[in-house]
Amino acid sequence: MDSAERAEFGIEGDWAMLRRHRIRWSECDQYAHANNTAYLTLCEDVRVSHWLSLGGRFEPGEPGPVVAQLEARYHRPLAFDDAVAVTLRPATLRRSSFTHDYAVWKDGLVFACRTLLVIVVNGSGEKAPIPPAIRARLIEQGAREE
């Protein structure tokens, strides 16, 4: 992300990924306020893009991330047609799990979230270690091993 994007959305800190989004009517309640689940869907969209950018896949028999826990904090509301930036950064990792931090920005921080992701084999649900190449990329992006 460049300094113009940081200034446009009021982004602070280091982030591995940024995705722009415009709040759609379908993400709003009858008063044109973004529904609380819309924020989580934005995080899901950037999480999937991030996994694919790391070389991960979503295919039967392949390991992939599953959300095991999340903590969210809503700072300010969003409304229909607001332009926002959604950011992601890996925070910590263990043998078969890692955490992501997410933030949604519009004139500063409006939403923050942390998820605990567990790697499981798609199809069987069996817990699996983080693939070595993906682990290395997460560390390059700032994740610290616990």
Side-chain angles (χ1 to χ4, degrees), residues 29-101:
D29 61 20
Q30 63 188 358
Y31 304 108
H33 298 113
N35 186 292
N36 64 331
T37 61
Y39 298 80
L40 299 175
T41 300
L42 293 174
C43 294
E44 178 181 55
D45 288 346
V46 74
R47 178 172 52 255
V48 168
S49 293
H50 184 249
W51 182 251
L52 294 172
S53 78
L54 296 173
R57 299 184 309 200
F58 293 101
E59 298 176 10
E62 292 292 324
V66 174
V67 175
Q69 180 179 345
L70 67 83
E71 181 180 333
R73 181 155 186 213
Y74 300 85
H75 295 272
R76 294 186 290 122
L78 291 172
F80 172 66
D81 209 36
D82 280 345
V84 300
V86 184
T87 56
L88 172 152
R89 65 180 164 215
T92 62
L93 62 136
R94 293 185 173 177
R95 188 185 81 74
S96 60
S97 65
F98 60 100
T99 59
H100 272 168
D101 290 332

